[in-house]
Amino acid sequence: MLLLVEKSSRLMLLTIGNILDSMVFWEGLVPTPDVIDAGHRNGVPVYGTLFFNWSNSIADQEKFAEALKQDPDGSFPIARKLVDMAKYYGYDGYFINQETTGDLVEPLGEKMRQFMLYTKARGGILSPTSLFLITKLVDPNRLMFLR
């Protein structure tokens, strides 16, 4: 895989496709076209990152809770948009990094699980390893990965 790394104003190419089984784009929700193309040319799934701050501020807790809002029919509007973006731009899913803590967040572990299952089911064409979760919402003795 050719991975583009910015150094000053020039791009450097790294050949590392033979050792990657997935590529998480840490720079944001939607991977750039060059990263998607390089990954897919070499059979490597590419994931965007949905990041919730390492924080316990009320504002960050409210932001996380808002992302998990459900419509009256039980669907998750944010999840629908995440799937729509992945399909439109041609990447394979998301790495979900949830680090926000606090009283508003603590009871949302099961809701987060349902959000992820809904996203995975709605995705359909997304790869089977399209959602990962790092969180303090679950028992630290159990790793919670949806595959």
Side-chain angles (χ1 to χ4, degrees), residues 51-65 97-108 134-138:
F51 177 70
F52 295 97
N53 289 336
W54 179 22
S55 165
N56 64 357
S57 76
I58 294 298
D60 284 337
Q61 291 181 61
E62 289 172 346
K63 180 180 172 183
F64 175 69
N97 187 351
Q98 198 307 94
E99 298 183 11
T100 306
T101 60
D103 292 339
L104 297 176
V105 171
E106 196 169 314
L108 297 176
I134 292 180
T135 183
K136 294 180 181 179
L137 295 176
V138 295

Side-chain angles (χ1 to χ4, degrees), residues 35-51:
V35 171
I36 297 168
D37 183 55
H40 290 169
R41 283 178 184 248
N42 292 279
V44 176
V46 178
Y47 304 106
T49 300
L50 179 58
F51 177 70

Side-chain angles (χ1 to χ4, degrees), residues 6 9 18 20 26 47-49 51 55 57 85 87 94 97 108 114 120 128 134 136 139-140 142:
E6 187 175 340
S9 62
N18 59 331
L20 289 180
W26 289 106
Y47 304 106
T49 300
F51 177 70
S55 165
S57 76
M85 285 190 310
K87 287 181 177 180
Y94 298 91
N97 187 351
L108 297 176
Q114 293 304 318
K120 185 174 180 179
I134 292 180
K136 294 180 181 179
D139 181 338
R142 289 185 329 168

Side-chain angles (χ1 to χ4, degrees), residues 21 27 39-40 67 76-77 89 93 103 105 126 131 147:
D21 63 357
E27 292 297 319
H40 290 169
F76 293 89
Y89 290 106
D103 292 339
V105 171
L126 300 177
L131 294 171
R147 292 187 178 252

Side-chain angles (χ1 to χ4, degrees), residues 3-14 32 34-35:
L3 178 64
L4 301 174
V5 179
E6 187 175 340
K7 184 173 182 172
S8 301
S9 62
R10 297 175 18 193
L11 292 176
M12 299 172 50
L13 299 178
L14 302 176
T32 56
D34 56 324
V35 171

